Amino acid sequence: MTREQRTVSMLVGVVVLMGGLAWAAVPFYNWFCKVTGYGGTTQTAEQPSDEMIDEVVRVRFDANTDKNLDWTFRPMETKMELKIGENAMAFYEAVNNSDEPITGTASYNVAPDVAGYYFIKVQCFCFTEQTLQPGERVEMPINFYVDPELVDDRDAKWVRDITLSYTFHRTEPKQAALDLAPADAVN
């Protein structure tokens, strides 16, 4: 193999390696955020908390909509005080202001970021897409708690004010996407 061929082989290898790393970056980042709570990513649980401590945390609720979504979206309660470990339920309201059915999906985060690892969602409207008919109004629940382990974390133990923020984005309903796919691609 000549020197030029080795150089070309090495460059092709570098390009393939970088392409593979780029492909793996998004799933790896999502996994990392979920495991560590980085960037305010919340955690999920199958069941409510079975431990509560006598310290209070204040949760503020925030709501936003993407400019392409003709919905009114707001928290029905803007703040709540609860004991750390206490199971709580809050509601958000969404109204479709258009004359057509619209499907939306909520993205979310928690501030400060360090609280994300300890903010546990048991049930949330953000786990699935939401389709609202023209003029339809719905109340969407979130069941959550703040993990008592928060007080033992040297970086998070000072957190007593948490903001839970949602932004709804317009999405195509999954069933409609399946209806539009070629028949042989849906298997």
Side-chain angles (χ1 to χ4, degrees), residues 9 13 37 69 74 97 123 131 139 146 149 158 171 181 185-187:
S9 294
L69 185 66
R74 67 176 187 87
N97 300 314
Q123 178 206 10
T131 301
E139 292 180 9
V146 176
E149 290 183 14
W158 56 268
T171 57
V186 182
N187 282 332

Side-chain angles (χ1 to χ4, degrees), residues 85-99:
E86 179 181 357
N87 297 295
M89 183 172 280
F91 289 88
Y92 281 75
E93 175 188 58
V95 180
N96 180 350
N97 300 314
S98 76
D99 57 359

Side-chain angles (χ1 to χ4, degrees), residues 68-169:
N68 298 323
L69 185 66
D70 192 15
W71 285 8
T72 301
F73 176 59
R74 67 176 187 87
M76 297 187 71
E77 186 174 0
T78 58
K79 57 188 163 196
M80 174 184 294
E81 282 194 7
L82 60 144
K83 290 183 178 180
I84 295 176
E86 179 181 357
N87 297 295
M89 183 172 280
F91 289 88
Y92 281 75
E93 175 188 58
V95 180
N96 180 350
N97 300 314
S98 76
D99 57 359
E100 64 179 348
I102 297 178
T103 300
T105 303
S107 61
Y108 55 87
N109 74 336
V110 170
D113 290 350
V114 70
Y117 187 76
Y118 300 100
F119 195 95
I120 314 295
K121 294 180 184 178
V122 178
Q123 178 206 10
C124 183
F125 59 87
C126 61
F127 295 160
T128 59
E129 61 185 26
Q130 307 293 321
T131 301
L132 274 63
Q133 299 303 314
E136 183 178 9
R137 176 194 167 277
V138 295
E139 292 180 9
M140 299 180 289
I142 171 174
N143 184 304
F144 68 95
Y145 63 93
V146 176
D147 192 327
E149 290 183 14
L150 171 98
V151 299
D152 297 326
D153 183 310
R154 69 180 177 90
D155 295 325
K157 65 183 175 186
W158 56 268
V159 174
R160 293 300 179 270
D161 292 288
I162 298 173
T163 299
L164 175 63
S165 181
Y166 288 99
T167 301
F168 251 103
H169 305 273

